Amino acid sequence: MGIPNPPAPGDTALKPGTFADQTVFVTGAGTGLGKAIASEFARLGANIVIASRKSEHLEAGAAAIGEIGAEVHTVTCDIREPDQIAAAFDSAEAAFGMPSVLVNNAAANFPVPAEDMSPNAWRTVVDITLNGTFFCAREFGRRHLEAGSAASIINVGASYAWTGGPGFAHSAAAKAGVKNLTESLAVEWGPSGIQVNCLVPGLFPHEDMTADIQANLAGTSDKDVCQPAMRVGHRQELGWAATFLASPYGRFISGHTLVVDGANWQRRSLVNPPMVPIREQMGRGTFEP
Ligand code: HXC
Ligand code: NAP
């Protein structure tokens, strides 16, 4: 049986207009989960700013938000570049006024055994996932500190922040940093009215997943029966969690990491399944330096 399916996309738990007159800045909202999170804020009346690198992603995100009937502004931005982030916030402010919510959703990841990972591959994933998250939070935080305005940050994490991520050592280490950063910023900026949380998706397959990650998932058996919930996540479930955290009803929640994964990361077996080395799981041959 498992955990029942959620209400259909389009349903909302919060009141209509919860985010009316507010702007929500979401990185990487042209694809997958960022688009899903932005859509839930849009449904509740927010203006949406989408920041990412690729025009086709910006267009896809804008189309999705437009269909909901919300205002949307797109801005090209590589979150590894602090100057581009500052320009993106200038552009957002010019379009809608200062965003009151930042969702640090953009991240980078590809499966690779640690011994095959080049230094630049490591740097790239850490730079986007951890440094990019900090640079965006810093720009957003400084603007609110200067204005003396309250705000909310949601950093998107991953559960291998706790467990390690064999085959994803770069991303897992970066996400551990994101979770830890959330805790530091929540305390530093709480007195100034800035709430900082981390939102951890479990397995949420979607059509925008990179080919590498899709291929990796395709190598496992049925996704649903591998989850304690007997199903994977539905995108709107993550969006609902994000909107709750940034809503007036979630204000006293700060420094928290909310996991939306049907208890998947706590899963343990009484008897371990046979150990399959990562190279074998990924269909790689013998290590060759
Ligand atoms: C090994 C790889 C690689 C791969 C890139 N590299 N892809 N190494 N396996 N599949 C190496 C390159 O060879 C290079 O190192 C370095 O990484 C940088 O590569 P570039 O292509 O120059 O980087 P860039 O153009 O900046 O692109 C970044 C990217 C790309 C991360 C490589 O995939 C990207 O833009 N991804 C964004 C979307 C994404 O990653 N989404 C996943 C989020 S999902 P050398 O040494 O050759 O110079 C997620 C969920 C986790 O996090 C949970 C899933 C179940
Ligand atoms: P995705 O579809 O690949 O989205 C990643 C987004 O990040 C893209 O829209 C991409 O846009 C943007 N991005 C990447 N590098 C960027 C950069 N340097 N500057 C600006 N934007 C950049 O992945 P997803 O599955 O939706 O994942 C969204 C978040 O959920 C990530 O933080 C991921 O780690 C987390 N997560 C996902 C799952 C899952 O099951 N899907 C599980 C755990 C955690 P551009 O290419 O246009 O820049």
Side-chain angles (χ1 to χ4, degrees):
M1 176 192 163
I3 293 180
N5 282 325
D11 206 347
T12 59
L14 294 170
K15 294 177 195 140
T18 296
F19 292 97
D21 303 321
Q22 289 191 53
T23 299
V24 179
F25 187 110
V26 189
T27 62
T31 64
L33 303 188
K35 188 162 72 177
I37 291 170
S39 296
E40 294 311 324
F41 279 105
R43 246 184 271 290
L44 293 167
N47 300 323
I48 303 296
V49 178
I50 302 176
S52 79
R53 298 162 301 171
K54 297 184 182 151
S55 57
E56 68 268 27
H57 292 163
L58 294 171
E59 285 159 20
I65 301 303
E67 270 174 35
I68 291 167
E71 295 293 319
V72 58
H73 177 71
T74 61
V75 55
T76 306
C77 175
D78 188 324
I79 60 165
R80 288 169 283 195
E81 302 298 337
D83 291 350
Q84 291 187 29
I85 295 167
F89 276 104
D90 286 346
S91 171
E93 280 202 55
F96 296 135
M98 185 55 194
S100 55
V101 180
L102 165 66
V103 182
N104 271 315
N105 163 80
N109 195 14
F110 43 78
V112 56
E115 65 276 16
D116 289 349
M117 194 186 300
S118 72
N120 193 36
W122 170 273
R123 255 187 224 115
T124 300
V125 169
V126 172
D127 207 9
I128 296 173
T129 305
L130 177 57
N131 297 349
T133 294
F134 175 68
F135 296 155
C136 291
R138 177 183 181 277
E139 186 64 43
F140 178 85
R142 285 166 63 92
R143 288 176 190 235
H144 279 287
L145 292 174
E146 190 184 354
S149 43
S152 180
I153 299 176
I154 297 172
N155 297 321
V156 177
S159 59
Y160 47 36
W162 291 280
T163 60
F168 299 93
H170 44 12
S171 167
K175 292 293 193 184
V178 167
K179 176 188 173 289
N180 186 280
L181 174 66
T182 300
E183 290 149 9
S184 300
L185 296 183
V187 175
E188 285 198 37
W189 294 346
S192 303
I194 302 175
Q195 178 196 15
V196 189
N197 288 298
C198 183
L199 180 64
V200 167
L203 185 57
F204 283 78
H206 59 79
E207 63 282 357
D208 297 323
M209 278 179 148
T210 59
D212 268 350
I213 291 178
Q214 294 207 27
N216 212 52
L217 288 178
T220 64
S221 49
D222 184 288
K223 307 306 164 293
D224 291 332
V225 301
C226 296
Q227 303 281 318
M230 303 300 285
R231 68 172 177 86
V232 295
H234 294 230
R235 275 170 262 184
Q236 68 270 26
E237 295 181 291
L238 197 67
W240 292 332
T243 52
F244 171 68
L245 283 176
S247 78
Y249 311 99
R251 279 192 186 139
F252 204 51
I253 303 171
S254 195
H256 182 67
T257 293
L258 177 61
V259 184
V260 183
D261 81 337
N264 190 48
W265 87 266
Q266 285 97 347
R267 185 175 170 184
R268 292 286 181 281
S269 303
L270 285 177
V271 179
N272 288 337
M275 179 67 199
V276 182
I278 285 295
R279 299 194 75 80
E280 205 175 309
Q281 288 182 36
M282 291 185 179
R284 300 211 177 195
T286 314
F287 170 59
E288 283 176 29

